[in-house]
Amino acid sequence: MKFNKQFRMLLPLSLSAGLLSTGLAVPLPSAAAAEGGADAGAPQGQWLTGEFHAHTFESDDAQSSLESVLDHGLTTNGLDFLFLADHLRYSKRDDTGADIPGGPTPLSKGLLDYQVPKTKELQAAGKYAGKTIFSGFEWDIPSHEHGSVGILTGAPGSDAALKAANRFEYLFTNRDASWFDPADVAQWEAGDDRAYATHADSLTAIDWLKRNYPDTSYMIVNHPSRGVGKYKISDFRDFNSAAPDIAFGFEGMLGNQMEPDRGGYNTAYDPADPTANDNYKNRSYGGVDYMVAKVGGVWDALLGEGRRFWNFANSDYHFKTIGTNSSGYWPGEYAKNYVWTDGRSAQDILDGMRSGQSFSVFGDLIDALDFRIADGDANAGMGGNLQATEGDKLTLTIKFKSPGTNHYESPIDSGQSAGVKPAVDHVDLIAGDVTGPAEKGTAAYDKDTNDSTRVVATFTSEDWTTDANGYNVITYELPRASKDQYFRLRGTNLGANVPGETQDGNPLIDPKTTTEDPTTRFNEINDRNYKDLWFYSNPIFVDSAAYSDEQAVADTLGTLTLGDAGAVTADLTLPAEGKHGASIAWEETADSANAVAIENGAAKVTRPGAGQSDASVTLKATVSRGTASETKTFAVTVKALPTTSTPGSPPPATPDEPETPAASVTVDVDPAKGAEGSLKDVVAFKVPAGAVASGGKVGARVLAAAEQPPLGSLQALGPIVELTSTAGATFGKPVELTFNYAKDSALQPAVYYYNDTLKKWIFLGGKADGATITVAAKHAAAFGVFGYAPQTFADLGASWAKPYADRLIGLGVVSGYEDGTFRPERPVTRAEWVKLLADALGLPAAAGTTGFADDARIPAWAKAQVKAAADAGYVTGFAASGGSVFQASQRITRAEIAVMAARVLQAGGIAPGGADKTFADAAGIPAWAAEAIGQAASAGIVDGYPDGAFRPDGTLTRAEAAKIVYALLDALNI
């Protein structure tokens, strides 16, 4: 699905720009709100950007001062908050990098003596106004890896808060007791035992935070898969179960992105056979931990229990490049978390992170995201829970935006922008079932996959519209509520199948950058990272309450109405959907005047003529869901047309012998000469020589009302006429038909014919001249002149494709862009072409999966048509290791078009022409398409270029698509 977001020829009705019109609150980043992008009624608060894992000189392996880290993170890179996380080990340097007099101290004392006072001093001097800074620490979790811990207390940064960190360090690390105040040690040991060796000890520490600082502390696991054997999924379950408001997430989008092994994930694996052992799970994928990158992996398993366990990003900054070494980007340079908060304090930010209303981004791929699901007036956003009822209609809305630039420099640290605007290629909607908590001690507690998780939809640029403020907006109808589920998003600047980067939309393992020269290596790493960008949202949970079929039917019947049906003069809209997934089917059970025809969700009304009686109609609604079904009837009165006369004028004179106009005409046709005939003031026809193969009669007759095919909502501007022929129902050359019609100032005239196979009126068009309109037809059928409102485009009038596009526009299968343009030179994808083809041919929409291995990646708006075309044998896909694939987003080639056209002709009973048409580039035409290209060319469906070449690998433009479909319909006599 890669095509312009406003390509309405194939855009599904379920995808629209209607986010703001839904009434949903749309919280956007503060910069976006300043542009007027947010709803006036949006909740109070703001999006803040920041992170919780950056190091300064207080960490032995970091090489930057506190002030430089704050300057880069908060000023240069614009973060709103920065939670520091120096190693909870010994600290041998102060905030400037100078050795601490007397030797190393516990980090918690270094924070108390140097980091926090220096932060306050800088802020007092006017730096970092409006920014939030907090000193947390990175804890060596007993028997595991690292976690970022913060103890805010009621006054973050206060002496009491720092003393709490000092106590935590004593109790839950192996620091020597002599490093701590003896009086403090005595007091602490009176209340708690030290615990710093086992997994059980890690739970003791988390429980300690919960008991002492239940609302004002956090522990987020960092780089969870960086070492083999550091974690099992049961460990995360234990952490979260011990304190769900403290251990509420992990760093799935990794820091240390400047390392040769992305994220510092340097576990050895065999590139030739990555799954030879489990080491591939300890590598990064698009810079993301396997636990998050794997659809249906560890994170999805936790979400499948309904756990509020969130994904975050950070820099894990120690230094960027020094000598021959590289580590991570500055805070905010490459990775950001966007967190919705009610305020700007450290506690507000912690509450926002805990809520899950956040998303994480690499390389500023996006800088705004609103993602929510609605059930009627109720809706929930990221981290939220939507209470739905079984059978309810669920609507997904996504609104996102990319900035004009990011921090990509080339060469690295040169100050020279690479000049690349970040752009999202596609967004995946990922869903999984929620089955409830796994019980500790069972196999389910150790299961690290969620087998129900899958990518349920992929959106590319043709699925979103862009509003006046630059926000890309998607609306998508989810399956009706039927079970407890969660939904999350991921997006990337990469295509679905980029060699070495993605496969079927999933990120591939990140290889090590091994160039020896350090300067070249640093630039290659930087280029690698900025060419491979991702964002991940936190999930929305949907709880579906059970609701019986009988109750859904009863609720629907109780509220079902047609309004005032006692004096109907226009079509009635008939609701098809009831309460909680109930469906409504309609039929008319009493209608002697044939005043109502039920068609496409409406009761199409034909009013009785002037002077006739009003028509009484009974409509019956059958409401069903599951095994339950009940009916309800409605009495409808269709008013007759009024009698019109000029006030004061005498009634029209009645001649003694009224003239009855002729209702039919028949002429003999000579195949060599043709023939002409007419009905006065109704129709004239010209049959050219060679139109019929043998002699016969061709005629025209006016159809009485009872003989006419249903008109539906069409407005007739003249009588319905049937063209008849005893010399064959189709003509070898088009017959010219000229119809008289009554002008309508509000509508344009167009000729339609009735297709008995499709059971519908088909638009032909025609050239109007005064009170007549002329059209060419190749078959005998019923014809009528109807009024319609044509769509016009500023850039189509001068295009060679206008005559072809006009017919398809009239057929309702092609339209244009919201700015009033058609853009005839735009290329077309396979999904777009197949949808256009299926709709033009009138193929019934087919339900279910298509059978293609990449079925999940076929856009919802085209899937029914792709399946219909596949079922008809028009499209077969490409062979791949996992089975035939459709490749929906791939641009269609001229060779592929010719093959499909040849199949359609054969299915329509059109004998394939010879392959005598030759092209200058015949040697370059693939063998699988050569015969079909010859057949389609012989039938006039496709043709070459002025230089005599066919260009089989060339793409198809909208103009060319219109012409080919027009020619195909003509060949099929449609």
Side-chain angles (χ1 to χ4, degrees):
M1 286 167 48
K2 284 198 182 95
F3 201 68
N4 187 281
K5 51 188 166 274
Q6 295 170 325
F7 185 29
R8 294 304 184 194
M9 178 165 75
L10 296 161
L11 191 65
L13 295 177
S14 60
L15 297 173
S16 71
L19 178 62
L20 297 182
S21 66
T22 64
L24 300 179
V26 185
L28 297 170
S30 54
E35 298 171 9
D39 277 336
Q44 295 301 307
Q46 63 275 307
W47 287 101
L48 299 181
T49 60
E51 68 153 281
F52 55 85
H53 185 189
H55 297 261
T56 72
F57 277 139
E58 299 292 340
S59 294
D60 187 47
D61 51 358
Q63 304 300 321
S64 296
S65 69
L66 169 67
E67 188 170 8
S68 66
V69 171
L70 296 177
D71 282 348
H72 280 84
L74 301 175
T75 304
T76 303
N77 298 325
L79 294 181
D80 297 303
F81 69 89
L82 186 53
F83 287 9
L84 300 166
D86 284 297
H87 288 295
L88 195 65
R89 301 170 186 165
Y90 65 82
S91 180
K92 69 179 183 180
R93 297 172 295 180
D94 65 14
D95 61 279
T96 68
D99 288 344
I100 294 175
T105 67
L107 173 73
S108 54
K109 190 173 187 304
L111 302 182
L112 179 65
D113 293 343
Y114 302 104
Q115 189 173 100
V116 173
K118 183 57 176 283
T119 298
K120 294 178 178 179
E121 174 189 325
L122 293 168
Q123 290 179 305
K127 298 194 74 170
Y128 321 125
K131 307 292 186 175
T132 304
I133 306 167
F134 173 73
S135 290
F137 49 83
E138 187 172 37
W139 174 42
D140 296 319
I141 305 175
S143 79
H144 299 299
E145 246 272 3
H146 299 162
S148 288
V149 178
I151 305 175
L152 279 63
T153 72
S158 66
D159 289 350
L162 294 171
K163 180 62 73 173
N166 194 222
R167 182 179 181 184
F168 184 95
E169 184 171 18
Y170 174 75
L171 291 174
F172 305 116
T173 75
N174 62 357
R175 300 298 89 80
D176 192 278
S178 63
W179 284 21
F180 299 86
D181 185 308
D184 289 337
V185 169
Q187 178 185 355
W188 296 338
E189 289 191 339
D192 299 286
D193 294 327
R194 301 188 76 186
Y196 49 74
T198 66
H199 174 67
D201 293 339
S202 69
L203 299 179
T204 299
I206 293 171
D207 181 68
W208 182 88
L209 291 171
K210 179 181 177 181
R211 286 186 287 110
N212 292 281
Y213 308 100
D215 300 318
T216 59
S217 66
Y218 62 88
M219 194 287 286
I220 300 173
V221 175
N222 295 335
H223 35 71
S225 300
R226 190 168 70 175
V228 175
K230 290 295 184 180
Y231 292 104
K232 304 184 298 296
I233 191 171
S234 58
D235 300 327
F236 300 117
R237 288 181 166 123
D238 287 347
F239 293 161
N240 183 247
S241 296
D245 289 334
I246 293 171
F248 55 76
F250 53 15
E251 171 201 331
M253 298 184 73
L254 310 172
N256 289 324
Q257 291 281 323
M258 278 300 300
E259 294 208 14
D261 283 294
R262 200 168 178 185
Y265 277 40
N266 58 8
T267 299
Y269 75 107
D270 181 2
D273 187 11
T275 59
N277 54 44
D278 281 348
N279 284 1
Y280 69 93
K281 296 181 180 180
N282 299 98
R283 302 289 301 185
S284 65
Y285 291 74
V288 178
D289 193 289
Y290 183 76
M291 294 184 182
V292 170
K294 170 65 176 177
V295 175
V298 169
W299 190 30
D300 288 311
L302 296 171
L303 298 178
E305 295 181 90
R307 293 183 184 271
R308 273 50 180 172
F309 199 80
W310 316 126
N311 169 64
F312 298 101
N314 61 59
S315 65
D316 196 1
Y317 176 79
H318 291 73
F319 60 90
K320 190 171 180 181
T321 62
I322 296 178
T324 62
N325 299 309
S326 58
S327 177
Y329 290 98
W330 290 98
E333 182 180 4
Y334 186 71
K336 284 188 178 77
N337 297 294
Y338 286 77
V339 182
W340 179 258
T341 72
D342 292 331
R344 304 184 73 93
S345 71
Q347 185 63 54
D348 290 329
I349 293 165
L350 172 56
D351 291 342
M353 293 172 64
R354 183 182 287 134
S355 75
Q357 192 167 358
S358 64
F359 61 95
S360 302
V361 185
F362 284 156
D364 292 303
L365 178 59
I366 61 172
D367 62 357
L369 174 66
D370 184 74
F371 162 45
R372 58 188 59 242
I373 298 173
D375 177 4
D377 294 332
N379 69 85
M382 290 173 283
N385 188 83
L386 178 65
Q387 297 292 330
T389 301
E390 182 182 3
D392 284 359
K393 182 178 180 180
L394 302 178
T395 302
L396 168 79
T397 56
I398 304 168
K399 183 172 186 177
F400 69 94
K401 184 179 181 181
S402 296
T405 187
N406 56 16
H407 297 292
Y408 184 16
E409 295 179 342
S410 183
I412 189 172
D413 293 332
S414 65
Q416 300 177 19
S417 171
V420 177
K421 182 184 185 301
V424 175
D425 178 86
H426 65 272
V427 178
D428 289 324
L429 173 64
I430 299 170
D433 296 346
V434 177
T435 55
E439 184 178 351
K440 190 175 178 65
T442 66
Y445 202 77
D446 295 315
K447 182 176 172 61
D448 61 2
T449 59
N450 184 340
D451 300 333
S452 70
T453 307
R454 69 248 181 244
V455 176
V456 297
T458 296
F459 309 111
T460 56
S461 57
E462 78 257 13
D463 297 315
W464 58 72
T465 56
T466 303
D467 67 17
N469 291 314
Y471 295 95
N472 301 313
V473 185
I474 301 166
T475 302
Y476 180 72
E477 299 301 327
L478 293 169
R480 291 186 178 275
S482 61
K483 53 188 173 181
D484 295 345
Q485 290 184 292
Y486 65 89
F487 298 85
R488 62 181 180 90
L489 303 178
R490 72 176 178 191
T492 180
N493 65 326
L494 296 170
N497 291 285
V498 178
E501 299 287 358
T502 58
Q503 182 174 348
D504 297 329
N506 295 307
L508 295 175
I509 196 168
D510 292 316
K512 184 176 183 176
T513 303
T514 58
T515 301
E516 291 188 8
D517 176 70
T519 301
T520 304
R521 182 172 70 251
F522 297 158
N523 279 293
E524 288 179 353
I525 291 171
N526 189 51
D527 292 343
R528 170 199 72 188
N529 295 340
Y530 276 98
K531 291 175 182 176
D532 186 12
L533 303 180
W534 296 82
F535 77 82
Y536 284 75
S537 82
N538 280 313
I540 300 171
F541 292 90
V542 177
D543 294 343
S544 298
Y547 206 77
S548 71
D549 294 339
E550 290 76 12
Q551 190 60 50
V553 169
D555 285 357
T556 300
L557 289 173
T559 58
L560 183 59
T561 179
L562 291 180
D564 183 6
V568 173
T569 59
D571 295 348
L572 295 172
T573 299
L574 303 177
E577 297 180 352
K579 299 287 187 178
H580 310 300
S583 62
I584 308 172
W586 292 87
E587 58 183 309
E588 43 92 10
T589 59
D591 184 6
S592 59
N594 294 318
V596 170
I598 296 175
E599 182 181 336
N600 297 325
K604 305 294 185 180
V605 171
T606 301
R607 298 174 65 180
Q612 297 184 19
S613 301
D614 297 342
S616 296
V617 181
T618 299
L619 298 182
K620 182 172 74 173
T622 301
V623 180
S624 305
R625 199 188 90 167
T627 59
S629 180
E630 292 187 35
T631 62
K632 184 176 182 179
T633 59
F634 297 86
V636 177
T637 299
V638 178
K639 299 293 290 181
L641 291 169
T643 300
T644 59
S645 63
T646 303
S649 63
T654 304
D656 294 336
E657 295 182 4
E659 180 182 353
T660 302
S664 65
V665 63
T666 301
V667 297
D668 293 319
V669 178
D670 184 335
K673 297 180 180 180
E676 296 184 10
S678 66
L679 282 173
K680 184 180 179 182
D681 297 329
V682 176
V683 65
F685 56 87
K686 295 179 180 180
V687 183
V692 295
S694 59
K697 295 182 181 294
V698 173
R701 71 185 187 98
V702 176
L703 294 180
E707 298 177 291
Q708 297 173 6
L711 303 186
S713 61
L714 292 173
Q715 180 175 333
L717 302 181
I720 306 302
V721 175
E722 181 183 37
L723 183 67
T724 62
S725 172
T726 64
T730 60
F731 304 107
K733 292 182 180 180
V735 173
E736 180 184 285
L737 300 171
T738 300
F739 296 91
N740 293 68
Y741 71 94
K743 292 183 179 180
D744 186 308
S745 60
L747 298 173
Q748 295 293 319
V751 179
Y752 291 66
Y753 83 93
Y754 190 77
N755 187 300
D756 280 315
T757 301
L758 299 177
K759 301 300 180 186
K760 62 187 293 188
W761 287 95
I762 303 295
F763 179 93
L764 284 176
K767 183 177 180 180
D769 182 11
T772 63
I773 183 170
T774 300
V775 73
K778 293 180 67 177
H779 36 71
F783 293 84
V785 181
F786 299 102
Y788 85 113
Q791 191 173 8
T792 59
F793 303 99
D795 60 344
L796 189 59
S799 172
W800 60 265
K802 185 178 187 303
Y804 312 112
D806 281 348
R807 187 179 181 206
L808 301 185
I809 292 168
L811 286 169
V813 298
V814 58
S815 59
Y817 293 79
E818 292 178 346
D819 64 356
T821 61
F822 185 82
R823 304 183 193 177
E825 299 310 310
R826 277 298 225 192
V828 182
T829 67
R830 286 173 56 80
E832 292 160 349
W833 165 257
V834 172
K835 185 179 189 301
L836 172 61
L837 180 66
D839 287 345
L841 294 176
L843 297 183
T849 58
T850 62
F852 292 113
D854 59 347
D855 178 83
R857 303 194 65 79
I858 299 174
W861 52 262
K863 186 167 290 187
Q865 287 85 356
V866 171
K867 178 170 172 53
D871 291 347
Y874 300 156
V875 58
T876 58
F878 303 97
S881 58
S884 178
V885 294
F886 178 68
Q887 299 285 28
S889 63
Q890 185 171 293
R891 290 180 179 178
I892 191 105
T893 68
R894 288 168 52 80
E896 293 164 11
I897 286 289
V899 170
M900 292 186 201
R903 291 171 180 161
V904 171
L905 290 173
Q906 292 170 21
I910 307 299
D916 54 346
K917 178 75 173 181
T918 59
F919 295 99
D921 56 350
I925 294 177
W928 54 266
E931 183 178 6
I933 289 173
Q935 294 171 353
S938 296
I941 307 302
V942 297
D943 203 350
Y945 288 86
D947 63 358
F950 182 74
R951 303 178 193 171
D953 295 327
T955 56
L956 189 73
T957 67
R958 283 166 56 86
E960 292 168 331
K963 180 181 179 181
I964 290 174
V965 172
Y966 180 100
L968 197 54
L969 294 178
D970 185 61
L972 294 168
N973 294 316
I974 294 178

